[in-house]
Structures are given as structure tokens and as C-alpha cells.
Amino acid sequence: LTAAQAEFERARSQAALSRRSARGSPTLLIGPRWERPALGSGYDDSIGLTLTVPLPGTAHGRTAAADASAEAAAALAARDRLRRQLVMALHEAEHGLEVARANHDTARRRADLAAQHAEMGRKAYDAGEIDLMALLRLQESAIAARRARDRFDIEISRQTAAYNQAVGVLP
């Protein structure tokens, strides 16, 4: 965004300079001239004088100023477009992190409950109250809940990295 702002400032300054220079100013050029006459072997030395007086509102000056103004408008549009993209990326990163944290809390609670159920199931199996298949289903559920919790641990890390990137924090 800083680079886009600098580019806009450069283009705006260039447009202002083009508008000022489009008005023009008189120029006087003085310089030496060496010419060879058509029927002579030597050179004629002389001094050349050129006077330029710009007329107000010349098409060339207006064209250059219009081109510079168009470039400034394009730089402004690019800066604004980039700003909107960055604001959207920040919003998406904040939302993604919030959702990942909520999902992680739910997965953590589910993993805790599944671990308690598996422990209760082991005790019930030891007491002969449930069969082996029921115990294995409870243990499988506890393992799946731990895996989901671990996946959300990774998702929180990924969303935190996306948020840090959106706000400009470097690793």
C-alpha cells in the first residue's frame, strides 16, 4: 500500500509538472554554426540564434498534461483497488481465525468428553457391563476426537499466519 501511495504521489506530481510545462516558457538558444558554402572549400563560421515563443493552449502541451493526468488517475485507482483488497484480506483473516478458534474449542471439548467416555467404557468393560465391540467404538471415537482437535490446532496456526500476513507481521 505504501508503494502504491508513492506511485500515486509520483504520478500526481508528474501531472502537475506537465500542466505547468504545457503553458510553456520562451526559450532562446544561441550556438556556433559551421557551414560549408556550395562553391567553396572552407567553412563559414557564424552564430546561430533560435527563439521559441510558445502559444497558450497548444495541442501538444494539452496532450502531455492529459496523459499525465490519466496516469495519475490510473495510479489512484490502483491504490484504491489495492486498499480494498487489503481490507478484504484482513477481514477474511480475522474471520478465519475467529472460526478456527471456535472450532478448536468445540473439538477440544468433544475430545475431552470422548476421552471420559472411553475411560468410563474401559471401567465398564472391566466390570463386564459392556462387550469388547462397544469398548472399541468408544476408543475409536476418542481417537477421532483427538485427531480433530489436533487438526484444529494446525488450522489455528495456519489462520494465525494468514492474519499476521494480512496485518504485515513478518515471521
Side-chain angles (χ1 to χ4, degrees), residues 14 29 72 107 113 124 139:
Q14 182 65 37
L29 298 174
L113 288 174
Q139 288 176 343

Side-chain angles (χ1 to χ4, degrees), residues 31-48:
R33 291 177 36 177
W34 296 278
E35 293 179 340
R36 176 180 251 170
L39 299 174
S41 61
Y43 285 94
D44 290 336
D45 295 332
S46 61
I47 294 179

Side-chain angles (χ1 to χ4, degrees), residues 69-143:
S69 294
E71 184 181 348
L76 176 64
R79 185 204 61 190
D80 290 346
R81 185 173 44 253
L82 180 61
R83 179 178 286 142
R84 285 189 302 273
Q85 289 171 350
L86 291 174
V87 167
M88 182 61 75
L90 178 61
H91 175 73
E92 291 295 323
E94 287 172 343
H95 179 69
L97 185 57
E98 180 182 329
V99 168
R101 285 180 178 157
N103 287 340
H104 180 265
D105 289 344
T106 303
R108 183 185 45 77
R109 285 193 304 273
R110 181 175 175 251
D112 292 344
L113 288 174
Q116 288 175 0
H117 287 150
E119 181 59 28
M120 289 170 38
R122 188 190 57 76
K123 289 178 183 178
Y125 177 75
D126 289 344
E129 296 174 356
I130 62 170
D131 63 352
L132 180 60
M133 291 305 291
L135 175 64
L136 292 176
R137 279 192 295 272
L138 288 172
Q139 288 176 343
E140 180 183 15
S141 177
I143 290 169

Side-chain angles (χ1 to χ4, degrees), residues 140-160:
E140 180 183 15
S141 177
I143 290 169
R146 279 196 311 265
R147 283 186 187 146
R149 182 196 62 207
D150 294 344
R151 278 195 309 273
F152 283 114
D153 282 340
I154 293 169
E155 182 64 16
I156 282 180
S157 297
R158 190 177 72 76
Q159 291 296 332
T160 300

Side-chain angles (χ1 to χ4, degrees), residues 1-90:
L1 187 59
T2 303
Q5 178 65 29
E7 176 61 23
F8 167 65
E9 292 297 329
R10 185 208 58 79
R12 189 175 66 172
S13 298
Q14 182 65 37
L17 179 64
S18 292
R19 281 190 296 275
R20 279 193 307 268
S21 65
R23 287 182 247 147
S25 58
T27 57
L28 175 65
L29 298 174
I30 300 174
R33 291 177 36 177
W34 296 278
E35 293 179 340
R36 176 180 251 170
L39 299 174
S41 61
Y43 285 94
D44 290 336
D45 295 332
S46 61
I47 294 179
L49 177 69
T50 304
L51 175 63
T52 305
V53 179
L55 299 174
T58 61
H60 176 71
R62 286 192 311 255
T63 302
D67 289 344
S69 294
E71 184 181 348
L76 176 64
R79 185 204 61 190
D80 290 346
R81 185 173 44 253
L82 180 61
R83 179 178 286 142
R84 285 189 302 273
Q85 289 171 350
L86 291 174
V87 167
M88 182 61 75
L90 178 61

